[in-house]
Amino acid sequence: MKEKVFEILGIDPLLIFGSNNSKLTQIKKYFPGVKLVARGNVLTAIGDDERLDLFEKKFERILEHAEKFNELTENNIDQILEADEIPHMTVDANTILVHGVAGMKITARTHNQRRLVEAVLNNDMVFAVGPAGTGKTYTAVAMAVRALKNKEIRRIILTRPAVEAGENLGFLPGDLKEKLDPYLMPLYDALRDMIPAEKLAEFIENGVIEIAPLAFMRGRTLDKAFVILDEAQNATESQIKMFLTRMGRTAKFVITGDMTQVDLPHRQKSGLSYAIQALRDVEGIDVIELNQNDVIRHSLVKRIIQAFEEKENQLKTPKKNDNNE
């Protein structure tokens, strides 16, 4: 007989064992050849190799469920222990991508957001383009957090071009983090909805979540990671090529941008449209285009986008020559 020891960290052991070990008793019924002994936050399983291996796989799923959803019901336990494998994720209006802070249920709320989720599930590189407020970045971050919680990746890397300062931040006050944070704040905002503040700080401190400007990606190989390039319309052709070629063997890349909000200096071309045109038909890459129907901010935002589009179309239409010859 051998034994395996499981230390429960980051979760209240009562959530796993139940009052008076009621949940542990339920779990024991599925493993008649394994003896379970709980003391404090430690569970010891005793049995032969084959039974212990099976118990370990199932118990890890129980721990993952409890950590991800912060709940574990008797019905959850039955479903997990009776399942032959983890079911494939299907995306509909009710699919919860992540259980966020304070019980927030984060879902893909529009048709194109659901298309984006499916594209990320089925491809290693996805471009998501569309106007402000369509949930491009938010959905991408939710998928990254989901992958981290499911232990599909080891880290999340979020990056943006700091174009307002020309990638030269030296003249701004404060240390490097203080110089960069204003450009990266939308990424922090999304993460704060999905990960408790203390856990988020721990992830950032330990490098599990990295938020950095695009210039800091040069020379690196990004592997076993979910990598998001946000505001990619402000990357030049050479920058976006540099970024895309950082991809490691087991990485997933999402590139988001809005071609109507290019802030590059005069005469510098955006690399986003160039990259999409070059890569649209490459196997393993998908392009999802969102529009004003996907806007989930204030209702005015949708009308503002529509008004600007109408004005731009008017300006592009050549005026008729009213002079009579």
Side-chain angles (χ1 to χ4, degrees):
M1 302 290 281
K2 295 185 178 181
E3 66 178 44
K4 286 192 176 183
V5 177
F6 303 87
E7 188 176 6
I8 299 172
L9 300 173
I11 310 171
D12 184 354
L14 184 63
L15 185 64
I16 305 298
F17 301 147
S19 178
N20 297 320
N21 285 342
S22 59
K23 294 179 184 176
L24 191 60
T25 300
Q26 181 185 2
I27 294 171
K28 283 180 179 180
K29 293 178 181 178
Y30 286 90
F31 303 96
V34 178
K35 181 180 179 181
L36 302 178
V37 180
R39 288 191 178 91
N41 69 329
V42 175
L43 176 66
T44 302
I46 304 168
D48 60 40
D49 287 339
E50 185 177 351
R51 287 189 174 95
L52 284 180
D53 287 343
L54 177 60
F55 175 80
E56 182 177 20
K57 291 178 182 178
K58 295 288 189 175
F59 189 67
E60 284 181 351
R61 291 187 188 177
I62 288 174
L63 294 177
E64 288 172 5
H65 180 95
E67 182 179 7
K68 182 177 179 181
F69 301 111
N70 196 32
E71 70 172 7
L72 183 69
T73 66
E74 292 181 359
N75 187 45
N76 294 150
I77 293 172
D78 287 336
Q79 289 178 338
I80 293 168
L81 296 181
E82 290 172 3
D84 293 330
E85 58 184 20
I86 299 174
H88 177 71
M89 181 182 181
T90 57
V91 184
D92 58 33
N94 299 315
T95 297
I96 298 172
L97 304 180
V98 180
H99 280 79
V101 175
M104 180 187 298
K105 295 179 180 179
I106 296 169
T107 63
R109 296 170 58 181
T110 71
H111 172 67
N112 284 326
Q113 287 179 11
R114 291 191 284 276
R115 287 182 60 227
L116 174 56
V117 170
E118 291 172 349
V120 171
L121 290 172
N122 296 319
N123 299 273
D124 287 334
M125 183 177 292
V126 176
F127 289 83
V129 293
T134 52
K136 307 179 298 295
T137 301
Y138 200 83
T139 303
V141 172
M143 291 300 290
V145 172
R146 175 183 177 274
L148 183 65
K149 288 188 174 183
N150 289 345
K151 298 183 179 179
E152 297 166 9
I153 54 162
R154 292 185 181 175
R155 56 185 175 148
I156 297 172
I157 299 173
L158 309 174
T159 183
R160 294 178 116 199
V163 297
E164 294 86 347
E167 293 283 359
N168 180 8
L169 307 175
F171 66 88
L172 292 176
D175 60 21
L176 181 61
K177 184 177 184 301
E178 291 170 334
K179 294 174 190 288
L180 297 175
D181 278 356
Y183 302 101
L184 306 172
M185 194 56 65
L187 301 173
Y188 283 110
D189 289 342
L191 287 169
R192 288 188 186 109
D193 278 355
M194 302 173 198
I195 302 175
E198 291 184 5
K199 191 70 172 178
L200 177 57
E202 178 186 330
F203 279 156
I204 293 174
E205 183 178 354
N206 295 336
V208 175
I209 295 178
E210 177 185 349
I211 306 176
L214 179 59
F216 283 31
M217 299 298 110
R218 190 174 300 279
R220 302 176 61 184
T221 298
L222 308 178
D223 203 4
K224 297 178 181 177
F226 196 117
V227 187
I228 300 173
L229 170 58
D230 192 34
E231 299 287 349
Q233 76 277 1
N234 289 326
T236 64
E237 292 180 7
S238 61
Q239 284 176 327
I240 206 159
K241 184 178 179 181
M242 174 275 292
F243 171 76
L244 297 179
T245 54
R246 301 305 92 204
M247 191 175 197
R249 289 179 179 271
T250 58
K252 192 170 289 274
F253 274 37
V254 177
I255 301 94
T256 69
D258 176 3
M259 289 308 302
T260 68
Q261 295 190 17
V262 177
D263 298 315
L264 286 167
H266 184 56
R267 293 182 181 177
Q268 277 197 331
K269 293 182 179 179
S270 170
L272 179 59
S273 59
Y274 169 80
I276 290 175
Q277 291 171 13
L279 302 175
R280 184 183 288 271
D281 296 326
V282 174
E283 185 178 355
I285 298 176
D286 202 354
V287 179
I288 303 297
E289 297 178 356
L290 298 97
N291 55 50
Q292 63 187 31
N293 293 325
D294 299 297
V295 172
I296 54 176
R297 292 180 183 170
H298 194 287
S299 59
L300 271 176
V301 175
K302 184 182 294 188
R303 281 177 264 169
I304 289 169
I305 293 169
Q306 185 174 2
F308 273 117
E309 287 179 351
E310 291 174 355
K311 186 63 176 179
E312 288 168 4
N313 290 334
Q314 290 175 7
L315 294 174
K316 290 177 183 177
T317 304
K319 294 181 179 180
K320 293 183 180 178
N321 189 350
D322 292 330
N323 294 329
N324 293 322
E325 298 182 357

